[in-house]
Structure formats: structure tokens, C-alpha cells
Amino acid sequence: MKTLINKTIQSVFLIVTVAFFQSIAAQNDPVRLGFIPLTDCSPIVMAKELGLFKKYGVEVVVTKESSWANVRDKILTGELDGAHCLYSMPFSVYTGVGGKAGSEMMIAMMLNVNGQAITLSNDFCGKVGFKQMNKVTPVVAAKLKAEKEVTFAMTFPGGTHDLWLRNWMSVAGLNQKAVKIITIPPPQMVANMKVGNMDGYCVGEPWGGVAVKQGIGFTQVASQDIWKDHPEKALVVNKEFSAKRRTDLVKVMKAVMEACKWLDVPSNRKKAAAIIGKAPYVNAPADVIEARLMGDYNLGCNQGVEIYDNDYMLFHKGGMVNYPRKSHAIWAMAQYVRFGYLKEAPNYTAIADKLILDDLYKEVAKSMNVKVPNDDMKPFALTMDKTVFDPSNPAAYLKVVKK
């Protein structure tokens, strides 16, 4: 009996010891952060390039990823600890729109607002001008009659680009069932339009600006025209990482927060454009990246230049950008109901509470003397369609927009 007890004690001791040293080893592992080649990956890339991760005492490996689906899968499996990510992706995945329902990806903080665009091919040049929403439907209808199919592209079902595209179509009065909507990774958009695989797309910069530079498309509307200061990308992390390596996550967030502040200094944007434009990162012309980072939009199609002076891509804005709001999560999920992705309304509040690490964000913000906005869960209005969204009553909003 004593021998059995001793063996049991030895086995338990061995298991506990192994678990302890595995935990220590995990804490010493570098943090693995992914990004998609887009201008708004800048907070993560510049935190690395400026030495900010080292400043806050955390080793980070930054990797370029091929698609949002790839980012999703790697975060869920733990191959990535976190990534630059579409802010609505965790809600899309959890509700089953863009992944296996119930899969949890955690939002630690927001990275930016604004800076995406609807790009149309030059087939529409001279027929639909900048922000001429009333001309979209008749032109598309004429093309459908002549060619039987019109195709638009976005980057991930239920992702931000999908939502801006569908809201744009709604404002234009375009029947979404009349056109084909496909999924294309961001850096492949321009090449696909060049060979005629789509008539238009919604994606983040610099791929709207690159289409203009290459003379294959033009900017019909920027996403900030649809909703000024809309939420866009977030730092999204693996659930286990957020729980077991909380100290490292805090360090990462502090470094990224400092990078966001740095990026909002206009004189730093030229430097940022030169760095993120390089092949290991976005691999796009630095002049295109810089121009749209500065709010200087060459629209293409002989439309001239549009200057955005207070509603271009922003990364911090005194803390207004980085706070992950539950109201924005609820809005995104309401769009899934609105556009037919979900047959029934999800438990909006419970999902937002589950996936947003707002208490952790508040802790980090306080430690860095960053003001936390007090506007969460208050009604807000979109810019283009003038709809007002009350996060405490999404059903009322849906009755209005689904009429």
C-alpha cells in the first residue's frame, strides 16, 4: 500500500513539475504577432521597428500572413498569439458567419479608424463619380443587362470591408442579391481587378491608392465618408494567451499604444510609409502609402484630389481610437442580421462582454495616462445614410434599415 501511495505521489509531483517548467518556458517564448499587408498594420510594424516592444520588455516576432482566414485559424490554434485583425472578425467567427460558431478570439484594443475605400474598375469611369451614390444602381443595372454579371469583392465574410461594401450598396439602393460578392485577400485585390475578376472592391489602403496609380480603378467613396471615425482594425489575441500570459499582453499593448501615438504625429508618417512599404511588410509604393496616410487622395478617373483633413486614417486621437467599444461590436452583429448572414439576433451583449477585454484595456490606458472615452453604449449615427444606432435596442434599428 505504501509503495502504491509513494508512486502516486511521485507521479503527481512529476506532473506538477513538468507543468511548472512548461509554464516558465512559455513565459520566455517570444510573442508571435501576425499582420496582413495593409497600411493599418502600422502600429504593430512600427512598434517592432521603433524598438518599442523591447522598450517594454517583451520579445515579439512579427509575421506577414496571406489572408484573414489564415489569421483566424492561426489565432484560434495558438500558432499566433495575436494579430492585426478586422475588428468585426471575432464576432463574425463566434456567430458562425466567418468560422466555427462559438470559437473565441479576444479583442485587446483597437488599432485605427477610417482609411478604407470602395474602388471601382475603370469600366465605370465617367459614369459614376466620387460620392455620386445615385448613379451606382443604374450603371450597375446597365452592366448587368449587357454582361449578365457584376462582381464585387471584399476580404472576409462579416469583416469590416464586407460591412462597408454592403452599407455602400444599401445607400446606393443596389439590390445585393443582383450582384456577386466574392472574398479576395487584400494584397490580391489589384491583380484580380487588372485581369477582370471583379468590377469593384472594398479593402484597406494602400490597395485603393495602388489601383489608381496603376490606372485600373478609381476611388468612388472612402469608408470615412460612409461612417466618419468608424472602427477598423484591432489587436486580436488567442484566448489562452490572454489568460496565461497576461503580463506579456500588457507589455505588447503598451508598445502598440505608443506606436499609435507616434503614428498620429504627421511628421512621422513619411517615415512610417517608407518602412511599411518595404517588401517584408506591405510591399507597395511608399508614395501611395504616404499620400493616403496624409489624407491626400488622388481619386483617379480624372476626378482630381480629395483632401481629408480630420477624418483620414487615425491611430490614437487622444485615446478615442484605441478603446474597444461594445457598442461597435453590437452594431457589427446587427449587420449580420440585416444582411441575412444570421436568421435570428444573437445575444449581442453577452458576446460583446465575452470577447472584448475592456477591463484590461482600461488598466493599460490608465498606466499610460490615456483617457478612456465615456461614450460606449451610447447611440451614434453613421455619416452617409444618417441612420442612428442605439446599441441598447438593435431591434429598433433593424426595423428601420430592413424596410
Side-chain angles (χ1 to χ4, degrees):
M1 187 67 178
K2 279 186 177 182
T3 302
L4 179 61
I5 292 173
N6 287 336
K7 287 184 177 180
T8 302
I9 292 172
Q10 289 173 358
S11 297
V12 171
F13 177 77
L14 180 61
I15 291 170
V16 171
T17 301
V18 170
F20 172 76
F21 282 107
Q22 285 178 338
S23 175
I24 294 297
Q27 292 299 322
N28 293 325
D29 284 345
V31 176
R32 298 153 299 180
L33 298 181
F35 70 91
I36 291 290
L38 289 162
T39 300
D40 51 28
C41 74
S42 294
I44 287 176
V45 170
M46 293 313 301
K48 181 73 172 179
E49 288 284 338
L50 295 170
L52 298 177
F53 292 127
K54 288 185 178 180
K55 173 182 175 179
Y56 287 98
V58 60
E59 184 182 352
V60 174
V61 175
V62 173
T63 62
K64 182 192 290 191
E65 304 300 328
S66 60
S67 68
W68 291 121
N70 189 51
V71 168
R72 172 201 62 199
D73 294 344
K74 286 187 175 182
I75 290 178
L76 289 174
T77 61
E79 187 173 344
L80 286 174
D81 297 309
H84 151 254
C85 197
L86 303 161
Y87 103 86
S88 56
M89 184 190 289
F91 313 110
S92 172
V93 172
Y94 188 87
T95 57
V97 172
K100 183 181 178 182
S103 300
E104 296 180 30
M105 303 165 67
M106 318 303 289
I107 294 182
M109 63 183 289
M110 296 299 298
L111 299 178
N112 74 295
V113 297
N114 304 325
Q116 322 299 297
I118 306 288
T119 300
L120 297 181
S121 79
N122 279 346
D123 291 344
F124 294 99
C125 184
K127 302 171 184 176
V128 181
F130 180 61
K131 292 200 283 190
Q132 292 180 338
M133 303 302 293
N134 61 323
K135 294 187 177 182
V136 173
T137 293
V139 170
V140 170
K143 189 172 177 66
L144 281 168
K145 185 176 181 180
E147 301 182 20
K148 308 302 181 186
E149 186 172 86
V150 170
T151 301
F152 293 128
M154 48 78 185
T155 64
F156 187 83
T160 55
H161 304 131
D162 187 15
L163 300 184
W164 313 144
L165 177 66
R166 293 178 186 275
N167 272 266
W168 171 79
M169 294 169 69
S170 177
V171 172
L174 187 59
N175 181 356
Q176 300 186 26
K177 294 181 179 179
V179 302
K180 184 178 181 181
I181 299 177
I182 61 175
T183 302
I184 300 288
Q188 297 177 24
M189 286 292 189
V190 175
N192 273 272
M193 179 174 279
K194 188 177 293 185
V195 298
N197 287 341
M198 85 275 278
D199 300 282
Y201 59 75
C202 182
V203 73
E205 296 301 342
W207 306 116
V210 171
V212 172
K213 185 179 179 71
Q214 294 189 7
I216 63 169
F218 65 94
T219 300
Q220 203 278 322
V221 68
S223 57
Q224 54 264 38
D225 297 315
I226 298 171
W227 177 6
K228 180 182 176 182
D229 289 348
H230 66 77
E232 184 50 44
K233 301 302 190 300
L235 175 62
V236 174
V237 297
N238 171 271
K239 182 181 180 181
E240 185 176 0
F241 170 76
S242 71
K244 293 186 176 181
R245 298 185 63 181
R246 188 175 183 276
T247 300
D248 284 339
L249 177 54
V250 167
K251 293 175 181 178
V252 167
M253 292 170 68
K254 287 181 177 181
V256 171
M257 181 82 79
E258 187 166 333
C260 288
K261 291 181 179 180
W262 183 89
L263 284 159
D264 267 5
V265 177
S267 59
N268 289 334
R269 294 199 169 197
K270 184 179 183 69
K271 180 178 179 180
I275 291 172
I276 68 170
K278 294 178 180 178
Y281 298 127
V282 179
N283 194 24
D287 61 332
V288 174
I289 296 173
E290 181 186 348
R292 296 213 167 185
L293 264 177
M294 298 303 293
D296 186 355
Y297 281 51
N298 176 2
L299 300 172
C301 187
N302 300 312
Q303 297 182 111
V305 174
E306 178 77 5
I307 302 296
Y308 292 90
D309 57 6
N310 67 349
D311 54 355
Y312 50 0
M313 189 178 291
L314 296 169
F315 299 92
H316 185 64
K317 201 177 181 180
M320 291 299 294
V321 170
N322 305 119
Y323 180 44
R325 294 166 175 80
K326 294 179 181 180
S327 56
H328 292 164
I330 295 170
W331 180 87
M333 288 184 279
Q335 304 310 300
Y336 303 158
V337 178
R338 174 186 182 183
F339 296 124
Y341 276 128
L342 297 177
K343 293 181 180 179
E344 297 180 354
N347 190 332
Y348 298 107
T349 304
I351 296 171
D353 288 344
K354 181 185 289 286
L355 302 183
I356 297 178
L357 302 174
D358 59 325
D359 287 341
L360 180 63
Y361 174 81
K362 290 174 182 177
E363 175 188 319
V364 171
K366 182 179 179 180
S367 72
M368 298 190 73
N369 295 315
V370 172
K371 185 178 180 180
V372 176
N374 62 358
D375 59 354
D376 197 11
M377 296 306 291
K378 293 181 180 179
F380 56 84
L382 270 67
T383 306
M384 186 167 279
D385 68 6
K386 309 299 182 185
T387 55
V388 175
F389 183 77
D390 183 350
S392 66
N393 191 4
Y397 160 85
L398 289 170
K399 286 182 180 179
V400 173
V401 297
K402 293 183 78 173
K403 283 183 180 178

